Short mmCIF file of all heavy atoms in Angstrom, two decimals:
data_model
loop_
_atom_site.label_atom_id
_atom_site.label_comp_id
_atom_site.label_asym_id
_atom_site.label_seq_id
_atom_site.Cartn_x
_atom_site.Cartn_y
_atom_site.Cartn_z
N THR A 566 -60.11 1.96 -24.18
CA THR A 566 -59.45 2.39 -25.42
C THR A 566 -60.20 3.55 -26.06
O THR A 566 -59.59 4.51 -26.53
CB THR A 566 -59.36 1.19 -26.40
OG1 THR A 566 -58.62 0.16 -25.76
CG2 THR A 566 -58.66 1.59 -27.69
N ILE A 567 -61.53 3.44 -26.07
CA ILE A 567 -62.33 4.53 -26.63
C ILE A 567 -61.99 5.83 -25.91
O ILE A 567 -61.74 6.87 -26.54
CB ILE A 567 -63.84 4.21 -26.51
CG1 ILE A 567 -64.22 3.06 -27.44
CG2 ILE A 567 -64.68 5.45 -26.83
CD1 ILE A 567 -65.60 2.45 -27.16
N ALA A 568 -61.94 5.77 -24.57
CA ALA A 568 -61.68 6.98 -23.79
C ALA A 568 -60.27 7.50 -24.03
O ALA A 568 -60.07 8.70 -24.29
CB ALA A 568 -61.91 6.68 -22.31
N ALA A 569 -59.28 6.60 -23.98
CA ALA A 569 -57.89 7.05 -24.07
C ALA A 569 -57.55 7.56 -25.47
O ALA A 569 -56.87 8.58 -25.62
CB ALA A 569 -56.96 5.90 -23.69
N VAL A 570 -58.02 6.86 -26.49
CA VAL A 570 -57.68 7.29 -27.86
C VAL A 570 -58.41 8.59 -28.20
O VAL A 570 -57.82 9.49 -28.80
CB VAL A 570 -58.00 6.17 -28.88
CG1 VAL A 570 -57.79 6.67 -30.31
CG2 VAL A 570 -57.11 4.95 -28.62
N SER A 571 -59.66 8.72 -27.79
CA SER A 571 -60.39 9.96 -28.06
C SER A 571 -59.70 11.15 -27.38
O SER A 571 -59.53 12.21 -27.98
CB SER A 571 -61.83 9.88 -27.57
OG SER A 571 -62.48 8.80 -28.17
N ALA A 572 -59.29 10.94 -26.12
CA ALA A 572 -58.59 12.01 -25.41
C ALA A 572 -57.28 12.34 -26.12
O ALA A 572 -56.91 13.52 -26.26
CB ALA A 572 -58.32 11.58 -23.97
N GLY A 573 -56.58 11.29 -26.58
CA GLY A 573 -55.32 11.50 -27.29
C GLY A 573 -55.53 12.29 -28.58
O GLY A 573 -54.76 13.20 -28.90
N VAL A 574 -56.57 11.95 -29.32
CA VAL A 574 -56.85 12.66 -30.58
C VAL A 574 -57.15 14.12 -30.29
O VAL A 574 -56.61 15.03 -30.94
CB VAL A 574 -58.02 11.99 -31.34
CG1 VAL A 574 -58.45 12.86 -32.52
CG2 VAL A 574 -57.62 10.60 -31.83
N ASN A 575 -57.97 14.37 -29.28
CA ASN A 575 -58.30 15.77 -28.94
C ASN A 575 -57.05 16.54 -28.51
O ASN A 575 -56.86 17.69 -28.91
CB ASN A 575 -59.36 15.81 -27.84
CG ASN A 575 -60.73 15.47 -28.39
OD1 ASN A 575 -61.04 15.77 -29.55
ND2 ASN A 575 -61.56 14.83 -27.58
N HIS A 576 -56.21 15.90 -27.70
CA HIS A 576 -54.98 16.54 -27.25
C HIS A 576 -54.08 16.88 -28.45
O HIS A 576 -53.57 17.99 -28.57
CB HIS A 576 -54.24 15.59 -26.30
CG HIS A 576 -52.89 16.06 -25.90
ND1 HIS A 576 -52.69 17.12 -25.03
CD2 HIS A 576 -51.64 15.62 -26.24
CE1 HIS A 576 -51.39 17.31 -24.87
NE2 HIS A 576 -50.73 16.42 -25.58
N MET A 577 -53.93 15.91 -29.35
CA MET A 577 -53.04 16.13 -30.49
C MET A 577 -53.61 17.15 -31.47
O MET A 577 -52.88 17.86 -32.14
CB MET A 577 -52.78 14.80 -31.22
CG MET A 577 -52.03 13.78 -30.39
SD MET A 577 -50.41 14.34 -29.85
CE MET A 577 -49.48 14.11 -31.35
N ARG A 578 -54.94 17.20 -31.54
CA ARG A 578 -55.54 18.20 -32.43
C ARG A 578 -55.36 19.61 -31.86
O ARG A 578 -55.19 20.57 -32.62
CB ARG A 578 -57.02 17.88 -32.67
CG ARG A 578 -57.17 16.77 -33.70
CD ARG A 578 -58.60 16.41 -33.96
NE ARG A 578 -58.66 15.44 -35.05
CZ ARG A 578 -59.77 14.77 -35.39
NH1 ARG A 578 -60.90 14.98 -34.73
NH2 ARG A 578 -59.76 13.91 -36.40
N ASP A 579 -55.37 19.71 -30.52
CA ASP A 579 -55.11 21.02 -29.92
C ASP A 579 -53.70 21.49 -30.26
O ASP A 579 -53.42 22.69 -30.29
CB ASP A 579 -55.24 20.94 -28.38
CG ASP A 579 -56.69 20.86 -27.95
OD1 ASP A 579 -57.57 21.21 -28.77
OD2 ASP A 579 -56.96 20.45 -26.81
N LEU A 580 -52.82 20.54 -30.49
CA LEU A 580 -51.42 20.86 -30.82
C LEU A 580 -51.20 21.01 -32.32
O LEU A 580 -50.12 21.38 -32.74
CB LEU A 580 -50.51 19.71 -30.36
CG LEU A 580 -50.20 19.55 -28.88
CD1 LEU A 580 -49.29 18.34 -28.67
CD2 LEU A 580 -49.49 20.79 -28.39
N SER A 581 -52.19 20.65 -33.12
CA SER A 581 -51.94 20.50 -34.56
C SER A 581 -52.26 21.77 -35.34
O SER A 581 -53.40 22.26 -35.32
CB SER A 581 -52.79 19.34 -35.10
OG SER A 581 -52.77 19.34 -36.51
N PRO A 582 -51.27 22.31 -36.05
CA PRO A 582 -51.54 23.52 -36.84
C PRO A 582 -52.49 23.23 -38.00
O PRO A 582 -53.27 24.10 -38.39
CB PRO A 582 -50.16 23.93 -37.36
CG PRO A 582 -49.36 22.66 -37.35
CD PRO A 582 -49.88 21.85 -36.20
N ILE A 583 -52.45 22.01 -38.53
CA ILE A 583 -53.32 21.76 -39.68
C ILE A 583 -54.77 21.52 -39.23
O ILE A 583 -55.69 21.78 -39.98
CB ILE A 583 -52.79 20.62 -40.60
CG1 ILE A 583 -52.52 19.33 -39.84
CG2 ILE A 583 -51.54 21.06 -41.32
CD1 ILE A 583 -52.05 18.20 -40.75
N TRP A 584 -54.94 21.07 -37.99
CA TRP A 584 -56.31 20.99 -37.45
C TRP A 584 -56.86 22.41 -37.32
O TRP A 584 -58.00 22.68 -37.68
CB TRP A 584 -56.30 20.28 -36.09
CG TRP A 584 -57.64 20.25 -35.41
CD1 TRP A 584 -58.00 20.96 -34.30
CD2 TRP A 584 -58.79 19.50 -35.80
NE1 TRP A 584 -59.31 20.69 -33.96
CE2 TRP A 584 -59.82 19.80 -34.87
CE3 TRP A 584 -59.06 18.61 -36.83
CZ2 TRP A 584 -61.09 19.24 -34.95
CZ3 TRP A 584 -60.32 18.04 -36.91
CH2 TRP A 584 -61.33 18.36 -35.98
N GLU A 585 -56.03 23.32 -36.81
CA GLU A 585 -56.45 24.72 -36.67
C GLU A 585 -56.81 25.31 -38.03
O GLU A 585 -57.83 25.98 -38.19
CB GLU A 585 -55.32 25.53 -36.02
CG GLU A 585 -55.70 26.95 -35.68
CD GLU A 585 -54.52 27.74 -35.11
OE1 GLU A 585 -53.96 27.32 -34.08
OE2 GLU A 585 -54.16 28.78 -35.70
N MET A 586 -55.98 25.02 -39.03
CA MET A 586 -56.24 25.53 -40.38
C MET A 586 -57.54 24.94 -40.93
O MET A 586 -58.34 25.65 -41.53
CB MET A 586 -55.06 25.20 -41.30
CG MET A 586 -53.80 25.98 -40.95
SD MET A 586 -52.30 25.22 -41.62
CE MET A 586 -52.20 26.03 -43.20
N TYR A 587 -57.72 23.64 -40.69
CA TYR A 587 -58.96 22.99 -41.14
C TYR A 587 -60.17 23.65 -40.49
O TYR A 587 -61.18 23.94 -41.15
CB TYR A 587 -58.91 21.49 -40.80
CG TYR A 587 -60.26 20.83 -40.83
CD1 TYR A 587 -60.89 20.53 -42.04
CD2 TYR A 587 -60.93 20.53 -39.64
CE1 TYR A 587 -62.15 19.95 -42.05
CE2 TYR A 587 -62.19 19.94 -39.65
CZ TYR A 587 -62.79 19.66 -40.86
OH TYR A 587 -64.03 19.10 -40.87
N LYS A 588 -60.06 23.93 -39.19
CA LYS A 588 -61.17 24.56 -38.47
C LYS A 588 -61.45 25.97 -38.97
O LYS A 588 -62.58 26.47 -38.87
CB LYS A 588 -60.86 24.59 -36.96
CG LYS A 588 -61.09 23.25 -36.28
CD LYS A 588 -62.49 22.78 -36.53
CE LYS A 588 -63.14 22.07 -35.38
NZ LYS A 588 -64.50 21.63 -35.71
N GLU A 589 -60.40 26.64 -39.45
CA GLU A 589 -60.58 27.99 -40.00
C GLU A 589 -61.15 27.95 -41.41
O GLU A 589 -61.37 28.98 -42.04
CB GLU A 589 -59.23 28.73 -40.03
CG GLU A 589 -58.80 29.23 -38.67
CD GLU A 589 -57.35 29.72 -38.65
OE1 GLU A 589 -56.68 29.67 -39.71
OE2 GLU A 589 -56.89 30.12 -37.57
N GLY A 590 -61.32 26.73 -41.93
CA GLY A 590 -61.90 26.60 -43.27
C GLY A 590 -60.89 26.70 -44.40
O GLY A 590 -61.26 26.90 -45.56
N ILE A 591 -59.62 26.56 -44.06
CA ILE A 591 -58.58 26.62 -45.10
C ILE A 591 -58.52 25.27 -45.82
O ILE A 591 -58.53 24.22 -45.19
CB ILE A 591 -57.21 26.95 -44.47
CG1 ILE A 591 -57.25 28.36 -43.86
CG2 ILE A 591 -56.09 26.82 -45.49
CD1 ILE A 591 -56.05 28.69 -42.99
N ASP A 592 -58.51 25.31 -47.13
CA ASP A 592 -58.38 24.07 -47.91
C ASP A 592 -56.91 23.66 -47.92
O ASP A 592 -56.07 24.30 -48.56
CB ASP A 592 -58.88 24.31 -49.35
CG ASP A 592 -58.81 23.04 -50.18
OD1 ASP A 592 -58.26 22.02 -49.68
OD2 ASP A 592 -59.29 23.06 -51.32
N LEU A 593 -56.63 22.58 -47.18
CA LEU A 593 -55.22 22.19 -46.98
C LEU A 593 -54.53 21.78 -48.27
O LEU A 593 -53.31 21.86 -48.39
CB LEU A 593 -55.14 21.05 -45.95
CG LEU A 593 -55.59 21.44 -44.53
CD1 LEU A 593 -55.73 20.21 -43.66
CD2 LEU A 593 -54.63 22.42 -43.91
N SER A 594 -55.35 21.36 -49.26
CA SER A 594 -54.72 20.93 -50.51
C SER A 594 -54.21 22.12 -51.30
O SER A 594 -53.42 21.97 -52.24
CB SER A 594 -55.71 20.11 -51.34
OG SER A 594 -56.85 20.89 -51.63
N ASN A 595 -54.67 23.34 -50.94
CA ASN A 595 -54.19 24.53 -51.66
C ASN A 595 -53.03 25.22 -50.96
O ASN A 595 -52.53 26.23 -51.44
CB ASN A 595 -55.34 25.55 -51.81
CG ASN A 595 -56.36 25.07 -52.83
OD1 ASN A 595 -56.03 24.28 -53.71
ND2 ASN A 595 -57.59 25.52 -52.68
N VAL A 596 -52.63 24.68 -49.82
CA VAL A 596 -51.53 25.32 -49.09
C VAL A 596 -50.20 24.95 -49.75
O VAL A 596 -49.99 23.82 -50.18
CB VAL A 596 -51.53 24.87 -47.60
CG1 VAL A 596 -50.35 25.44 -46.84
CG2 VAL A 596 -52.84 25.27 -46.94
N GLN A 597 -49.32 25.96 -49.84
CA GLN A 597 -47.99 25.71 -50.40
C GLN A 597 -47.10 25.17 -49.28
O GLN A 597 -46.58 25.92 -48.47
CB GLN A 597 -47.45 27.05 -50.93
CG GLN A 597 -46.37 26.93 -51.99
CD GLN A 597 -46.88 26.27 -53.26
OE1 GLN A 597 -48.01 26.51 -53.69
NE2 GLN A 597 -46.07 25.41 -53.84
#
Side-chain angles (χ1 to χ4, degrees):
Chain A
T566 301
I567 292 166
V570 174
S571 302
V574 171
N575 284 328
H576 173 72
M577 295 300 282
R578 281 179 174 170
D579 285 342
L580 284 180
S581 169
I583 54 178
W584 175 251
E585 186 183 302
M586 291 160 90
Y587 162 75
K588 282 304 217 181
E589 284 169 0
I591 296 169
D592 182 353
L593 295 169
S594 59
N595 288 336
V596 176
Q597 203 64 39

